[in-house]
Amino acid sequence: MKNRLFVMSAASGAGKTTLKDKVIQKFPDIRYSISATTRAPRAGEVDGVHYFFKTKEEFLKMIEDDALVEWNEVHGNFYGTPKSFVEETLAKGERVIFDIDVFGKVNFDKVYPDATGILILPPSSEELERRLRSRASDSEEVIKLRLENAEKEIDFAKNNGKYEYVIINDDLEKAAKELENILTLK
Ligand code: 5GP
């Protein structure tokens, strides 16, 4: 199972999505696992592409039906990894990349202990704040919550030993190359 499942985690604003989108197209055998969430879509986000947007009731039903590999409450919303997609993709011999928060990763590892953990860090807390503020769709309250949580998430991730790789996203090209090197391992 080694090098078949890749879990990317980052505090929001670390640039993980841009990085993933840039690199994943170079790997036709890697599929992105679309998470379910109760968060409202941001401008430009499409249901079934960026997330499966769910009501709280729908999400709780997924938990009850044991349809999620793991789930967690992040910044006041639920996020979870659908089970069927991972199983079907692995059965086809393809690989999967996930976006899972640092606490969710601990639960994910209980199911798939061999998954490769990749932690994406912003270059500094000032840069993180700048990036979060430039995402105009989030309210001041949401930005504050995300900033507060970012520090806790980063501390937890650095100390829990769940990440084989750490990428500091100060330069997109350089970070993309690092991610590419990790995904090339088979
Ligand atoms: P955002 O709302 O910025 O898209 O994502 C917020 C956080 O939710 C990020 O830290 C992201 O890694 C996390 N996240 C996204 N999908 C999942 C998931 O399926 N499970 C868990 N545990 N966290 C997720």
PDB file of all heavy atoms in Angstrom, residues 8-12 16-17 32 34-37 39 42 45 51 70-75 79-82 99-105 135 138 146 153, ligand 1:
ATOM      1  N   MET A   8      -2.406  15.195   2.007  1.00  0.00           N
ATOM      2  CA  MET A   8      -1.843  16.538   2.164  1.00  0.00           C
ATOM      3  C   MET A   8      -2.600  17.239   3.278  1.00  0.00           C
ATOM      4  O   MET A   8      -3.831  17.243   3.291  1.00  0.00           O
ATOM      5  CB  MET A   8      -2.052  17.362   0.892  1.00  0.00           C
ATOM      6  CG  MET A   8      -1.208  16.922  -0.268  1.00  0.00           C
ATOM      7  SD  MET A   8      -1.632  17.898  -1.721  1.00  0.00           S
ATOM      8  CE  MET A   8      -0.746  19.405  -1.397  1.00  0.00           C
ATOM      9  N   SER A   9      -1.862  17.838   4.193  1.00  0.00           N
ATOM     10  CA  SER A   9      -2.494  18.635   5.234  1.00  0.00           C
ATOM     11  C   SER A   9      -1.811  19.984   5.304  1.00  0.00           C
ATOM     12  O   SER A   9      -0.609  20.096   5.034  1.00  0.00           O
ATOM     13  CB  SER A   9      -2.340  17.984   6.608  1.00  0.00           C
ATOM     14  OG  SER A   9      -2.940  16.727   6.646  1.00  0.00           O
ATOM     15  N   ALA A  10      -2.580  20.976   5.670  1.00  0.00           N
ATOM     16  CA  ALA A  10      -2.021  22.318   5.812  1.00  0.00           C
ATOM     17  C   ALA A  10      -3.014  23.181   6.542  1.00  0.00           C
ATOM     18  O   ALA A  10      -4.219  22.936   6.474  1.00  0.00           O
ATOM     19  CB  ALA A  10      -1.765  22.917   4.436  1.00  0.00           C
ATOM     20  N   ALA A  11      -2.518  24.178   7.224  1.00  0.00           N
ATOM     21  CA  ALA A  11      -3.420  25.206   7.737  1.00  0.00           C
ATOM     22  C   ALA A  11      -3.960  25.929   6.516  1.00  0.00           C
ATOM     23  O   ALA A  11      -3.248  26.067   5.511  1.00  0.00           O
ATOM     24  CB  ALA A  11      -2.644  26.166   8.615  1.00  0.00           C
ATOM     25  N   SER A  12      -5.237  26.368   6.563  1.00  0.00           N
ATOM     26  CA  SER A  12      -5.740  27.043   5.368  1.00  0.00           C
ATOM     27  C   SER A  12      -4.905  28.293   5.131  1.00  0.00           C
ATOM     28  O   SER A  12      -4.447  28.938   6.061  1.00  0.00           O
ATOM     29  CB  SER A  12      -7.231  27.363   5.461  1.00  0.00           C
ATOM     30  OG  SER A  12      -7.528  27.936   6.693  1.00  0.00           O
ATOM     31  N   LYS A  16      -2.121  25.071  -0.269  1.00  0.00           N
ATOM     32  CA  LYS A  16      -2.192  23.639  -0.595  1.00  0.00           C
ATOM     33  C   LYS A  16      -2.995  23.354  -1.868  1.00  0.00           C
ATOM     34  O   LYS A  16      -2.563  22.549  -2.692  1.00  0.00           O
ATOM     35  CB  LYS A  16      -2.826  22.963   0.621  1.00  0.00           C
ATOM     36  CG  LYS A  16      -3.065  21.516   0.547  1.00  0.00           C
ATOM     37  CD  LYS A  16      -3.887  21.119   1.763  1.00  0.00           C
ATOM     38  CE  LYS A  16      -5.016  22.108   1.972  1.00  0.00           C
ATOM     39  NZ  LYS A  16      -5.750  21.963   3.204  1.00  0.00           N
ATOM     40  N   THR A  17      -4.128  24.021  -2.030  1.00  0.00           N
ATOM     41  CA  THR A  17      -4.980  23.723  -3.181  1.00  0.00           C
ATOM     42  C   THR A  17      -4.301  24.119  -4.492  1.00  0.00           C
ATOM     43  O   THR A  17      -4.292  23.353  -5.461  1.00  0.00           O
ATOM     44  CB  THR A  17      -6.341  24.444  -3.034  1.00  0.00           C
ATOM     45  OG1 THR A  17      -6.865  24.108  -1.752  1.00  0.00           O
ATOM     46  CG2 THR A  17      -7.320  24.002  -4.091  1.00  0.00           C
ATOM     47  N   TYR A  32      -7.917  12.783  -7.195  1.00  0.00           N
ATOM     48  CA  TYR A  32      -8.121  13.586  -6.001  1.00  0.00           C
ATOM     49  C   TYR A  32      -9.416  13.145  -5.329  1.00  0.00           C
ATOM     50  O   TYR A  32     -10.461  13.057  -5.977  1.00  0.00           O
ATOM     51  CB  TYR A  32      -8.190  15.069  -6.389  1.00  0.00           C
ATOM     52  CG  TYR A  32      -8.526  15.969  -5.234  1.00  0.00           C
ATOM     53  CD1 TYR A  32      -7.681  16.050  -4.133  1.00  0.00           C
ATOM     54  CD2 TYR A  32      -9.694  16.725  -5.229  1.00  0.00           C
ATOM     55  CE1 TYR A  32      -7.992  16.864  -3.055  1.00  0.00           C
ATOM     56  CE2 TYR A  32     -10.010  17.545  -4.160  1.00  0.00           C
ATOM     57  CZ  TYR A  32      -9.152  17.611  -3.086  1.00  0.00           C
ATOM     58  OH  TYR A  32      -9.461  18.409  -2.022  1.00  0.00           O
ATOM     59  N   ILE A  34     -12.528  13.815  -3.456  1.00  0.00           N
ATOM     60  CA  ILE A  34     -13.370  14.979  -3.161  1.00  0.00           C
ATOM     61  C   ILE A  34     -14.070  14.749  -1.821  1.00  0.00           C
ATOM     62  O   ILE A  34     -14.770  13.753  -1.645  1.00  0.00           O
ATOM     63  CB  ILE A  34     -14.407  15.189  -4.288  1.00  0.00           C
ATOM     64  CG1 ILE A  34     -13.672  15.355  -5.636  1.00  0.00           C
ATOM     65  CG2 ILE A  34     -15.302  16.393  -4.004  1.00  0.00           C
ATOM     66  CD1 ILE A  34     -14.579  15.214  -6.844  1.00  0.00           C
ATOM     67  N   SER A  35     -13.850  15.649  -0.899  1.00  0.00           N
ATOM     68  CA  SER A  35     -14.421  15.507   0.443  1.00  0.00           C
ATOM     69  C   SER A  35     -15.871  15.974   0.479  1.00  0.00           C
ATOM     70  O   SER A  35     -16.287  16.792  -0.342  1.00  0.00           O
ATOM     71  CB  SER A  35     -13.629  16.362   1.434  1.00  0.00           C
ATOM     72  OG  SER A  35     -12.293  15.957   1.467  1.00  0.00           O
ATOM     73  N   ALA A  36     -16.585  15.484   1.469  1.00  0.00           N
ATOM     74  CA  ALA A  36     -17.923  16.017   1.753  1.00  0.00           C
ATOM     75  C   ALA A  36     -17.754  17.102   2.815  1.00  0.00           C
ATOM     76  O   ALA A  36     -16.899  16.983   3.696  1.00  0.00           O
ATOM     77  CB  ALA A  36     -18.809  14.902   2.291  1.00  0.00           C
ATOM     78  N   THR A  37     -18.534  18.156   2.714  1.00  0.00           N
ATOM     79  CA  THR A  37     -18.467  19.207   3.747  1.00  0.00           C
ATOM     80  C   THR A  37     -19.812  19.885   3.940  1.00  0.00           C
ATOM     81  O   THR A  37     -20.621  19.938   3.012  1.00  0.00           O
ATOM     82  CB  THR A  37     -17.420  20.290   3.398  1.00  0.00           C
ATOM     83  OG1 THR A  37     -17.348  21.224   4.496  1.00  0.00           O
ATOM     84  CG2 THR A  37     -17.774  21.082   2.147  1.00  0.00           C
ATOM     85  N   ARG A  39     -19.626  23.046   4.879  1.00  0.00           N
ATOM     86  CA  ARG A  39     -19.287  24.454   4.633  1.00  0.00           C
ATOM     87  C   ARG A  39     -20.005  24.949   3.375  1.00  0.00           C
ATOM     88  O   ARG A  39     -20.197  24.192   2.429  1.00  0.00           O
ATOM     89  CB  ARG A  39     -17.760  24.588   4.466  1.00  0.00           C
ATOM     90  CG  ARG A  39     -17.357  25.920   3.863  1.00  0.00           C
ATOM     91  CD  ARG A  39     -15.898  26.239   3.973  1.00  0.00           C
ATOM     92  NE  ARG A  39     -14.969  25.688   2.998  1.00  0.00           N
ATOM     93  CZ  ARG A  39     -15.019  25.854   1.683  1.00  0.00           C
ATOM     94  NH1 ARG A  39     -16.018  26.485   1.099  1.00  0.00           N
ATOM     95  NH2 ARG A  39     -14.069  25.340   0.915  1.00  0.00           N
ATOM     96  N   ARG A  42     -17.528  28.494  -1.605  1.00  0.00           N
ATOM     97  CA  ARG A  42     -16.954  29.829  -1.866  1.00  0.00           C
ATOM     98  C   ARG A  42     -17.230  30.161  -3.330  1.00  0.00           C
ATOM     99  O   ARG A  42     -17.537  29.276  -4.128  1.00  0.00           O
ATOM    100  CB  ARG A  42     -15.435  29.801  -1.672  1.00  0.00           C
ATOM    101  CG  ARG A  42     -15.015  29.562  -0.256  1.00  0.00           C
ATOM    102  CD  ARG A  42     -13.523  29.947  -0.060  1.00  0.00           C
ATOM    103  NE  ARG A  42     -13.115  29.605   1.285  1.00  0.00           N
ATOM    104  CZ  ARG A  42     -12.278  28.613   1.588  1.00  0.00           C
ATOM    105  NH1 ARG A  42     -11.718  27.902   0.640  1.00  0.00           N
ATOM    106  NH2 ARG A  42     -11.973  28.361   2.836  1.00  0.00           N
ATOM    107  N   GLU A  45     -16.593  27.774  -6.428  1.00  0.00           N
ATOM    108  CA  GLU A  45     -16.541  26.357  -6.058  1.00  0.00           C
ATOM    109  C   GLU A  45     -17.765  25.617  -6.599  1.00  0.00           C
ATOM    110  O   GLU A  45     -18.883  26.122  -6.516  1.00  0.00           O
ATOM    111  CB  GLU A  45     -16.459  26.190  -4.540  1.00  0.00           C
ATOM    112  CG  GLU A  45     -15.066  26.455  -4.011  1.00  0.00           C
ATOM    113  CD  GLU A  45     -14.915  26.176  -2.514  1.00  0.00           C
ATOM    114  OE1 GLU A  45     -15.929  26.230  -1.791  1.00  0.00           O
ATOM    115  OE2 GLU A  45     -13.789  25.929  -2.085  1.00  0.00           O
ATOM    116  N   TYR A  51     -15.839  20.089  -3.658  1.00  0.00           N
ATOM    117  CA  TYR A  51     -16.391  19.360  -2.510  1.00  0.00           C
ATOM    118  C   TYR A  51     -17.737  18.793  -2.920  1.00  0.00           C
ATOM    119  O   TYR A  51     -18.340  19.237  -3.903  1.00  0.00           O
ATOM    120  CB  TYR A  51     -16.645  20.318  -1.327  1.00  0.00           C
ATOM    121  CG  TYR A  51     -15.433  20.691  -0.513  1.00  0.00           C
ATOM    122  CD1 TYR A  51     -14.852  21.951  -0.629  1.00  0.00           C
ATOM    123  CD2 TYR A  51     -14.873  19.793   0.397  1.00  0.00           C
ATOM    124  CE1 TYR A  51     -13.737  22.308   0.139  1.00  0.00           C
ATOM    125  CE2 TYR A  51     -13.768  20.139   1.166  1.00  0.00           C
ATOM    126  CZ  TYR A  51     -13.200  21.387   1.027  1.00  0.00           C
ATOM    127  OH  TYR A  51     -12.110  21.735   1.778  1.00  0.00           O
ATOM    128  N   GLU A  70     -12.955   8.916   7.427  1.00  0.00           N
ATOM    129  CA  GLU A  70     -12.715   9.741   8.615  1.00  0.00           C
ATOM    130  C   GLU A  70     -13.521  10.999   8.420  1.00  0.00           C
ATOM    131  O   GLU A  70     -13.910  11.347   7.320  1.00  0.00           O
ATOM    132  CB  GLU A  70     -11.226  10.055   8.790  1.00  0.00           C
ATOM    133  CG  GLU A  70     -10.564  10.860   7.657  1.00  0.00           C
ATOM    134  CD  GLU A  70     -10.961  12.315   7.587  1.00  0.00           C
ATOM    135  OE1 GLU A  70     -10.995  12.969   8.644  1.00  0.00           O
ATOM    136  OE2 GLU A  70     -11.250  12.817   6.484  1.00  0.00           O
ATOM    137  N   TRP A  71     -13.774  11.716   9.518  1.00  0.00           N
ATOM    138  CA  TRP A  71     -14.411  13.025   9.426  1.00  0.00           C
ATOM    139  C   TRP A  71     -13.969  13.853  10.614  1.00  0.00           C
ATOM    140  O   TRP A  71     -13.490  13.315  11.614  1.00  0.00           O
ATOM    141  CB  TRP A  71     -15.940  12.897   9.374  1.00  0.00           C
ATOM    142  CG  TRP A  71     -16.535  12.263  10.592  1.00  0.00           C
ATOM    143  CD1 TRP A  71     -16.703  10.930  10.800  1.00  0.00           C
ATOM    144  CD2 TRP A  71     -17.003  12.922  11.769  1.00  0.00           C
ATOM    145  NE1 TRP A  71     -17.249  10.705  12.027  1.00  0.00           N
ATOM    146  CE2 TRP A  71     -17.448  11.914  12.659  1.00  0.00           C
ATOM    147  CE3 TRP A  71     -17.102  14.258  12.162  1.00  0.00           C
ATOM    148  CZ2 TRP A  71     -17.971  12.203  13.921  1.00  0.00           C
ATOM    149  CZ3 TRP A  71     -17.632  14.549  13.410  1.00  0.00           C
ATOM    150  CH2 TRP A  71     -18.058  13.535  14.269  1.00  0.00           C
ATOM    151  N   ASN A  72     -14.115  15.147  10.488  1.00  0.00           N
ATOM    152  CA  ASN A  72     -13.734  16.025  11.592  1.00  0.00           C
ATOM    153  C   ASN A  72     -14.485  17.338  11.464  1.00  0.00           C
ATOM    154  O   ASN A  72     -14.949  17.691  10.376  1.00  0.00           O
ATOM    155  CB  ASN A  72     -12.221  16.278  11.566  1.00  0.00           C
ATOM    156  CG  ASN A  72     -11.715  16.936  12.830  1.00  0.00           C
ATOM    157  OD1 ASN A  72     -12.354  16.867  13.886  1.00  0.00           O
ATOM    158  ND2 ASN A  72     -10.567  17.579  12.748  1.00  0.00           N
ATOM    159  N   GLU A  73     -14.588  18.042  12.584  1.00  0.00           N
ATOM    160  CA  GLU A  73     -15.160  19.381  12.544  1.00  0.00           C
ATOM    161  C   GLU A  73     -13.988  20.353  12.464  1.00  0.00           C
ATOM    162  O   GLU A  73     -13.096  20.332  13.318  1.00  0.00           O
ATOM    163  CB  GLU A  73     -15.992  19.629  13.809  1.00  0.00           C
ATOM    164  CG  GLU A  73     -16.818  20.880  13.696  1.00  0.00           C
ATOM    165  CD  GLU A  73     -17.752  21.082  14.883  1.00  0.00           C
ATOM    166  OE1 GLU A  73     -17.925  20.154  15.687  1.00  0.00           O
ATOM    167  OE2 GLU A  73     -18.292  22.196  14.987  1.00  0.00           O
ATOM    168  N   VAL A  74     -13.950  21.135  11.402  1.00  0.00           N
ATOM    169  CA  VAL A  74     -12.851  22.090  11.199  1.00  0.00           C
ATOM    170  C   VAL A  74     -13.449  23.479  11.031  1.00  0.00           C
ATOM    171  O   VAL A  74     -14.322  23.672  10.178  1.00  0.00           O
ATOM    172  CB  VAL A  74     -12.023  21.742   9.911  1.00  0.00           C
ATOM    173  CG1 VAL A  74     -10.749  22.563   9.851  1.00  0.00           C
ATOM    174  CG2 VAL A  74     -11.696  20.259   9.837  1.00  0.00           C
ATOM    175  N   HIS A  75     -12.974  24.443  11.788  1.00  0.00           N
ATOM    176  CA  HIS A  75     -13.473  25.827  11.728  1.00  0.00           C
ATOM    177  C   HIS A  75     -15.006  25.883  11.771  1.00  0.00           C
ATOM    178  O   HIS A  75     -15.637  26.630  11.031  1.00  0.00           O
ATOM    179  CB  HIS A  75     -13.018  26.548  10.455  1.00  0.00           C
ATOM    180  CG  HIS A  75     -11.580  26.368  10.101  1.00  0.00           C
ATOM    181  ND1 HIS A  75     -10.551  26.602  10.976  1.00  0.00           N
ATOM    182  CD2 HIS A  75     -10.990  25.964   8.944  1.00  0.00           C
ATOM    183  CE1 HIS A  75      -9.404  26.358  10.375  1.00  0.00           C
ATOM    184  NE2 HIS A  75      -9.636  25.968   9.157  1.00  0.00           N
ATOM    185  N   TYR A  79     -16.183  18.090   7.813  1.00  0.00           N
ATOM    186  CA  TYR A  79     -15.489  17.663   6.589  1.00  0.00           C
ATOM    187  C   TYR A  79     -15.225  16.169   6.718  1.00  0.00           C
ATOM    188  O   TYR A  79     -14.855  15.707   7.799  1.00  0.00           O
ATOM    189  CB  TYR A  79     -14.124  18.349   6.454  1.00  0.00           C
ATOM    190  CG  TYR A  79     -14.155  19.843   6.244  1.00  0.00           C
ATOM    191  CD1 TYR A  79     -14.324  20.714   7.321  1.00  0.00           C
ATOM    192  CD2 TYR A  79     -14.000  20.382   4.973  1.00  0.00           C
ATOM    193  CE1 TYR A  79     -14.341  22.086   7.129  1.00  0.00           C
ATOM    194  CE2 TYR A  79     -14.007  21.762   4.776  1.00  0.00           C
ATOM    195  CZ  TYR A  79     -14.183  22.604   5.846  1.00  0.00           C
ATOM    196  OH  TYR A  79     -14.193  23.956   5.656  1.00  0.00           O
ATOM    197  N   GLY A  80     -15.383  15.423   5.629  1.00  0.00           N
ATOM    198  CA  GLY A  80     -15.116  13.987   5.714  1.00  0.00           C
ATOM    199  C   GLY A  80     -14.726  13.395   4.375  1.00  0.00           C
ATOM    200  O   GLY A  80     -15.023  13.953   3.316  1.00  0.00           O
ATOM    201  N   THR A  81     -14.049  12.247   4.452  1.00  0.00           N
ATOM    202  CA  THR A  81     -13.541  11.557   3.263  1.00  0.00           C
ATOM    203  C   THR A  81     -14.467  10.394   2.903  1.00  0.00           C
ATOM    204  O   THR A  81     -14.546   9.427   3.664  1.00  0.00           O
ATOM    205  CB  THR A  81     -12.136  10.980   3.568  1.00  0.00           C
ATOM    206  OG1 THR A  81     -11.301  12.032   4.047  1.00  0.00           O
ATOM    207  CG2 THR A  81     -11.529  10.333   2.350  1.00  0.00           C
ATOM    208  N   PRO A  82     -15.146  10.467   1.755  1.00  0.00           N
ATOM    209  CA  PRO A  82     -16.016   9.357   1.367  1.00  0.00           C
ATOM    210  C   PRO A  82     -15.233   8.053   1.162  1.00  0.00           C
ATOM    211  O   PRO A  82     -14.166   8.056   0.567  1.00  0.00           O
ATOM    212  CB  PRO A  82     -16.637   9.836   0.046  1.00  0.00           C
ATOM    213  CG  PRO A  82     -16.508  11.324   0.082  1.00  0.00           C
ATOM    214  CD  PRO A  82     -15.241  11.600   0.831  1.00  0.00           C
ATOM    215  N   ASP A  99      -7.006  15.684   0.794  1.00  0.00           N
ATOM    216  CA  ASP A  99      -6.790  16.911   1.553  1.00  0.00           C
ATOM    217  C   ASP A  99      -7.515  16.698   2.880  1.00  0.00           C
ATOM    218  O   ASP A  99      -8.743  16.644   2.919  1.00  0.00           O
ATOM    219  CB  ASP A  99      -7.412  18.066   0.760  1.00  0.00           C
ATOM    220  CG  ASP A  99      -7.355  19.379   1.498  1.00  0.00           C
ATOM    221  OD1 ASP A  99      -7.066  19.379   2.712  1.00  0.00           O
ATOM    222  OD2 ASP A  99      -7.619  20.409   0.862  1.00  0.00           O
ATOM    223  N   ILE A 100      -6.753  16.514   3.938  1.00  0.00           N
ATOM    224  CA  ILE A 100      -7.359  16.195   5.238  1.00  0.00           C
ATOM    225  C   ILE A 100      -6.683  17.048   6.305  1.00  0.00           C
ATOM    226  O   ILE A 100      -5.460  17.210   6.278  1.00  0.00           O
ATOM    227  CB  ILE A 100      -7.178  14.685   5.546  1.00  0.00           C
ATOM    228  CG1 ILE A 100      -7.966  13.848   4.524  1.00  0.00           C
ATOM    229  CG2 ILE A 100      -7.616  14.349   6.967  1.00  0.00           C
ATOM    230  CD1 ILE A 100      -7.812  12.353   4.680  1.00  0.00           C
ATOM    231  N   ASP A 101      -7.450  17.568   7.226  1.00  0.00           N
ATOM    232  CA  ASP A 101      -6.851  18.419   8.250  1.00  0.00           C
ATOM    233  C   ASP A 101      -5.975  17.566   9.187  1.00  0.00           C
ATOM    234  O   ASP A 101      -6.089  16.334   9.205  1.00  0.00           O
ATOM    235  CB  ASP A 101      -7.938  19.164   9.043  1.00  0.00           C
ATOM    236  CG  ASP A 101      -8.482  18.321  10.163  1.00  0.00           C
ATOM    237  OD1 ASP A 101      -9.161  17.326   9.881  1.00  0.00           O
ATOM    238  OD2 ASP A 101      -8.189  18.637  11.326  1.00  0.00           O
ATOM    239  N   VAL A 102      -5.116  18.228   9.929  1.00  0.00           N
ATOM    240  CA  VAL A 102      -4.094  17.507  10.709  1.00  0.00           C
ATOM    241  C   VAL A 102      -4.678  16.572  11.769  1.00  0.00           C
ATOM    242  O   VAL A 102      -4.067  15.564  12.105  1.00  0.00           O
ATOM    243  CB  VAL A 102      -3.090  18.488  11.371  1.00  0.00           C
ATOM    244  CG1 VAL A 102      -2.353  19.289  10.304  1.00  0.00           C
ATOM    245  CG2 VAL A 102      -3.766  19.413  12.348  1.00  0.00           C
ATOM    246  N   PHE A 103      -5.872  16.897  12.269  1.00  0.00           N
ATOM    247  CA  PHE A 103      -6.485  16.020  13.275  1.00  0.00           C
ATOM    248  C   PHE A 103      -7.179  14.828  12.589  1.00  0.00           C
ATOM    249  O   PHE A 103      -7.110  13.703  13.066  1.00  0.00           O
ATOM    250  CB  PHE A 103      -7.475  16.801  14.150  1.00  0.00           C
ATOM    251  CG  PHE A 103      -6.831  17.997  14.820  1.00  0.00           C
ATOM    252  CD1 PHE A 103      -7.117  19.287  14.394  1.00  0.00           C
ATOM    253  CD2 PHE A 103      -5.915  17.820  15.844  1.00  0.00           C
ATOM    254  CE1 PHE A 103      -6.499  20.387  14.994  1.00  0.00           C
ATOM    255  CE2 PHE A 103      -5.303  18.912  16.449  1.00  0.00           C
ATOM    256  CZ  PHE A 103      -5.593  20.198  16.018  1.00  0.00           C
ATOM    257  N   GLY A 104      -7.810  15.096  11.457  1.00  0.00           N
ATOM    258  CA  GLY A 104      -8.455  14.044  10.677  1.00  0.00           C
ATOM    259  C   GLY A 104      -7.451  13.000  10.210  1.00  0.00           C
ATOM    260  O   GLY A 104      -7.764  11.814  10.092  1.00  0.00           O
ATOM    261  N   LYS A 105      -6.220  13.437   9.975  1.00  0.00           N
ATOM    262  CA  LYS A 105      -5.165  12.526   9.514  1.00  0.00           C
ATOM    263  C   LYS A 105      -4.910  11.403  10.522  1.00  0.00           C
ATOM    264  O   LYS A 105      -4.616  10.258  10.148  1.00  0.00           O
ATOM    265  CB  LYS A 105      -3.887  13.343   9.260  1.00  0.00           C
ATOM    266  CG  LYS A 105      -2.611  12.554   9.057  1.00  0.00           C
ATOM    267  CD  LYS A 105      -2.538  11.938   7.674  1.00  0.00           C
ATOM    268  CE  LYS A 105      -1.129  11.512   7.282  1.00  0.00           C
ATOM    269  NZ  LYS A 105      -0.699  10.271   7.874  1.00  0.00           N
ATOM    270  N   ARG A 135      -8.165  36.250   0.261  1.00  0.00           N
ATOM    271  CA  ARG A 135      -9.286  35.431  -0.208  1.00  0.00           C
ATOM    272  C   ARG A 135     -10.566  36.154   0.191  1.00  0.00           C
ATOM    273  O   ARG A 135     -11.118  35.944   1.258  1.00  0.00           O
ATOM    274  CB  ARG A 135      -9.194  34.061   0.474  1.00  0.00           C
ATOM    275  CG  ARG A 135     -10.064  33.031  -0.139  1.00  0.00           C
ATOM    276  CD  ARG A 135      -9.498  31.665   0.075  1.00  0.00           C
ATOM    277  NE  ARG A 135      -9.480  31.304   1.483  1.00  0.00           N
ATOM    278  CZ  ARG A 135      -8.912  30.196   1.966  1.00  0.00           C
ATOM    279  NH1 ARG A 135      -8.298  29.368   1.161  1.00  0.00           N
ATOM    280  NH2 ARG A 135      -8.938  29.926   3.250  1.00  0.00           N
ATOM    281  N   ASP A 138     -14.025  35.164   2.373  1.00  0.00           N
ATOM    282  CA  ASP A 138     -14.186  34.827   3.783  1.00  0.00           C
ATOM    283  C   ASP A 138     -14.383  36.092   4.624  1.00  0.00           C
ATOM    284  O   ASP A 138     -13.734  37.107   4.412  1.00  0.00           O
ATOM    285  CB  ASP A 138     -12.964  34.056   4.301  1.00  0.00           C
ATOM    286  CG  ASP A 138     -12.939  32.618   3.785  1.00  0.00           C
ATOM    287  OD1 ASP A 138     -14.014  32.101   3.440  1.00  0.00           O
ATOM    288  OD2 ASP A 138     -11.854  32.037   3.717  1.00  0.00           O
ATOM    289  N   ARG A 146      -9.661  31.114  11.437  1.00  0.00           N
ATOM    290  CA  ARG A 146      -8.697  30.311  10.693  1.00  0.00           C
ATOM    291  C   ARG A 146      -7.260  30.612  11.133  1.00  0.00           C
ATOM    292  O   ARG A 146      -6.436  29.715  11.216  1.00  0.00           O
ATOM    293  CB  ARG A 146      -8.871  30.530   9.187  1.00  0.00           C
ATOM    294  CG  ARG A 146     -10.032  29.729   8.657  1.00  0.00           C
ATOM    295  CD  ARG A 146     -10.396  30.041   7.237  1.00  0.00           C
ATOM    296  NE  ARG A 146     -11.582  29.273   6.885  1.00  0.00           N
ATOM    297  CZ  ARG A 146     -11.581  28.148   6.172  1.00  0.00           C
ATOM    298  NH1 ARG A 146     -10.467  27.679   5.695  1.00  0.00           N
ATOM    299  NH2 ARG A 146     -12.707  27.515   5.933  1.00  0.00           N
ATOM    300  N   GLU A 153      -2.974  23.983  14.639  1.00  0.00           N
ATOM    301  CA  GLU A 153      -2.837  22.889  13.670  1.00  0.00           C
ATOM    302  C   GLU A 153      -1.369  22.629  13.356  1.00  0.00           C
ATOM    303  O   GLU A 153      -0.922  21.483  13.300  1.00  0.00           O
ATOM    304  CB  GLU A 153      -3.575  23.232  12.367  1.00  0.00           C
ATOM    305  CG  GLU A 153      -5.085  23.224  12.498  1.00  0.00           C
ATOM    306  CD  GLU A 153      -5.790  23.807  11.279  1.00  0.00           C
ATOM    307  OE1 GLU A 153      -5.104  24.226  10.312  1.00  0.00           O
ATOM    308  OE2 GLU A 153      -7.008  23.866  11.295  1.00  0.00           O
TER     309      GLU A 153
HETATM  310  P1  5GP B   1     -11.415  24.754   3.409  1.00  0.00           P
HETATM  311  O1  5GP B   1     -12.704  25.123   4.043  1.00  0.00           O
HETATM  312  O2  5GP B   1     -10.401  25.853   3.472  1.00  0.00           O
HETATM  313  O3  5GP B   1     -11.594  24.199   2.012  1.00  0.00           O
HETATM  314  O4  5GP B   1     -10.815  23.544   4.255  1.00  0.00           O
HETATM  315  C1  5GP B   1     -10.677  23.689   5.643  1.00  0.00           C
HETATM  316  C2  5GP B   1      -9.940  22.521   6.226  1.00  0.00           C
HETATM  317  O5  5GP B   1     -10.678  21.316   6.050  1.00  0.00           O
HETATM  318  C3  5GP B   1      -8.560  22.264   5.635  1.00  0.00           C
HETATM  319  O6  5GP B   1      -7.647  22.140   6.722  1.00  0.00           O
HETATM  320  C4  5GP B   1      -8.714  20.947   4.918  1.00  0.00           C
HETATM  321  O7  5GP B   1      -7.521  20.193   4.965  1.00  0.00           O
HETATM  322  C5  5GP B   1      -9.783  20.273   5.738  1.00  0.00           C
HETATM  323  N1  5GP B   1     -10.457  19.209   4.992  1.00  0.00           N
HETATM  324  C6  5GP B   1     -10.889  19.196   3.715  1.00  0.00           C
HETATM  325  N2  5GP B   1     -11.440  18.024   3.411  1.00  0.00           N
HETATM  326  C7  5GP B   1     -11.352  17.251   4.520  1.00  0.00           C
HETATM  327  C8  5GP B   1     -11.745  15.912   4.848  1.00  0.00           C
HETATM  328  O8  5GP B   1     -12.280  15.161   4.033  1.00  0.00           O
HETATM  329  N3  5GP B   1     -11.506  15.490   6.110  1.00  0.00           N
HETATM  330  C9  5GP B   1     -10.915  16.269   7.050  1.00  0.00           C
HETATM  331  N4  5GP B   1     -10.708  15.760   8.261  1.00  0.00           N
HETATM  332  N5  5GP B   1     -10.518  17.530   6.787  1.00  0.00           N
HETATM  333  C10 5GP B   1     -10.735  18.013   5.539  1.00  0.00           C
END
